[in-house]
Amino acid sequence: MDKWWQQSTFYEIYMPSFKDGNGDGMGDFKGITSKLDYLQDLGIDGLWLTPFYPSPKVDNGYDISDYYSIGPEYGTLADFELFIQEAHKRELKVIADLVLNHTSTEHPWFQESKSSKNHSKRDWYIWRDQPNNWESFFGGSAWEYDQATEQYYYHAFAKEQVDLNWSNPEVKAAMFDVMKFWLEKGVDGFRLDVINFLKVNGQFINNPYDDEKQEQIHLYDKDQEGILPMIEEIAAFVHQFPNKFLVGEVGSEDLTILKKYSGLDKLDVVFNFNIGSMAEFETKQLYQQLVATEQAYDDAQIPTLFFSSHDMSRHLSRFGGDTDHAKLVAAFMLTAKGVPFIYYGDEIGMQDWVTDDISKMKDVQGMIAYQLALEAGKSQAEALVMANEKSRDKSRTPMQWNSQANVGFSDGTSTWITIPEAGCNVTVENQQDDSGSMLTFYKELLQLRKRYSCLRQGEYEFLRYDEGVIYFARNDSTERIVVVLNFSDQPKTIEDCFTSDVKMLLSTKRKPVECDDYRTIFAHEALILKEVTNR
Ligand code: NOJ
């Protein structure tokens, strides 16, 4: 446990929505810099920034048109440099989201590639005379016909996000230059977007179809042969620079696949979607995934802990809207073994947003779902429901600093989103001096994690499940901490957890003086206890 990231809690900032520093309605670097004190006070250690490069923003920046500068809406390179400097001054690390798999169709590389079949960059992308049956992950065919050169190009996501051909060594060299540029600018690592899509099966075998789910099985368009050596090359390149960190987005919930991508000589960690993207909260399932991950991972592999992101519903909304439950989830994330990633706004209990008007929808995935539903003969009302299900706008609303910040957030093309009335009390301003607030609870958890090394680096001494309660003890050479999380709505008796007297460190339901009987846990209580014997 000698690496900084093994001891860190990260915080994801969705660039357009965190903090507007120049009054144009879009988040930017000046805004984030002005909130570094808030982030330091919260107690996190590192920031993950979603893409901030110039982009036509068909997919909110995951369609990069220039890898070497800052999108003008986010500021200048000087604003970025100042931000990095100020973050580092506060001992906050910064990791940049990097999209290696595809570029925007507006990127000059693609413009050159599509200019002629004979262009030297033609082979930087994937061109074919005939498409196969592969579908884009946003819906519809993954192939787009180019009239001028009479071939199809491949795009795993929107048709404006064109896949690079990583079998071409020039592509690799160009992207290594990009990485070098940002590492030298001071970023502490990268979050690598859809990294298991980087290579596709060169034979372009048709994907099979799942008749039951009525959808394509993405068998040959991800996790393909040749990908792991490529990941190893990327990791070796980045790790030449001291203390740099790589977290991979491996698009899979399958632990056997996730497991392949992290560890010695590979990515430092990957997002554990097997845990984080549960659609509904199932305590037993969470426990089982935790155990399965423990068993599957070797000593060099560390899981990540998250339940929300810019691609999914916020966990508070997804798991039913109950703040006691959200506190239990937070307590789990910040005391279990792994590297936690908090999504901006979860620390104040922000909720999902759903639109009743398709013209307000911004997310390409939602909009494609709407079009496909209409084409399939659905009514506008039905199509809107389907679009809202797919749309990721739900978790991308402006950070609720105060009640004014909630309305009229604009991205320059149309009004972004108005937070529903119900959400308006959920603000940093309202919660910062409230000892019972979600924000205070996150701060307390983060302080505990900072103070007790076993919460950052201890192994599980035991990990147990019983009737809706998850129990674990984490220990290292200095201390032993027991965590009991009662996700059920019944009080429960705690058995066989302690080897000596305990002291309460944190509870969501009681103050230390109120009750020192830790043989029972209240319904929906998170209880964190420390053994008093000195090690
Ligand atoms: C994963 C990103 O998190 C998501 O927001 C994006 O749409 C896809 N990759 C495509 O880049």
Side-chain angles (χ1 to χ4, degrees), residues 124-142:
W124 280 41
Y125 294 88
I126 299 163
W127 291 97
R128 300 234 314 158
D129 290 333
Q130 288 301 321
N132 65 358
N133 80 342
W134 291 359
E135 285 175 7
S136 134
F137 287 81
F138 288 159
S141 170

Side-chain angles (χ1 to χ4, degrees), residues 207-269:
N207 277 331
Y209 195 76
D210 184 332
D211 289 322
E212 215 172 280
K213 288 195 191 155
Q214 297 214 351
E215 61 186 31
Q216 183 166 100
I217 303 169
H218 287 279
L219 190 62
Y220 297 112
D221 48 1
K222 53 181 193 159
D223 305 305
Q224 290 303 303
E225 211 186 318
I227 179 97
L228 289 173
M230 191 57 81
I231 300 265
E232 284 170 8
E233 273 191 65
I234 294 172
F237 179 78
V238 170
H239 290 141
Q240 287 175 92
F241 298 78
N243 295 323
K244 303 295 181 184
F245 167 64
L246 285 174
V247 49
E249 185 202 26
V250 173
S252 176
E253 291 177 17
D254 182 342
L255 190 53
T256 55
I257 291 180
L258 293 171
K259 177 186 156 50
K260 292 185 190 162
Y261 286 87
S262 73
L264 230 49
D265 301 330
K266 298 197 186 116
L267 304 172
D268 293 308
V269 292

Side-chain angles (χ1 to χ4, degrees), residues 4 52-53 67-68 80-81 84 88 94-96 98 175-192 233-246 268:
W4 62 267
F52 47 73
Y53 320 92
Y67 284 81
Y68 287 99
F80 173 82
E81 283 165 349
I84 290 268
H88 286 167
V94 177
I95 61 168
L98 190 61
M175 281 306 193
F176 280 23
D177 285 348
V178 168
M179 291 193 269
K180 180 164 182 278
F181 176 81
W182 291 104
L183 292 170
E184 286 176 349
K185 280 266 167 271
V187 303
D188 299 291
F190 299 111
R191 177 261 189 197
L192 297 178
E233 273 191 65
I234 294 172
F237 179 78
V238 170
H239 290 141
Q240 287 175 92
F241 298 78
N243 295 323
K244 303 295 181 184
F245 167 64
L246 285 174
D268 293 308

Side-chain angles (χ1 to χ4, degrees), residues 59 62 99 102 138 157 161 191 193-194 249 310-311 392 396:
D59 184 16
Y62 286 92
V99 188
H102 48 267
F138 288 159
F157 295 90
Q161 293 168 292
R191 177 261 189 197
D193 190 61
V194 289
E249 185 202 26
H310 67 289
D311 286 332
R392 300 161 301 174
R396 298 176 172 185

Side-chain angles (χ1 to χ4, degrees), residues 109-116 119 121-123 125 127:
W109 296 341
F110 184 68
Q111 292 299 315
E112 289 177 51
S113 180
K114 81 175 228 178
S115 67
S116 134
H119 194 281
K121 285 207 175 64
R122 183 68 171 182
D123 188 48
Y125 294 88
W127 291 97

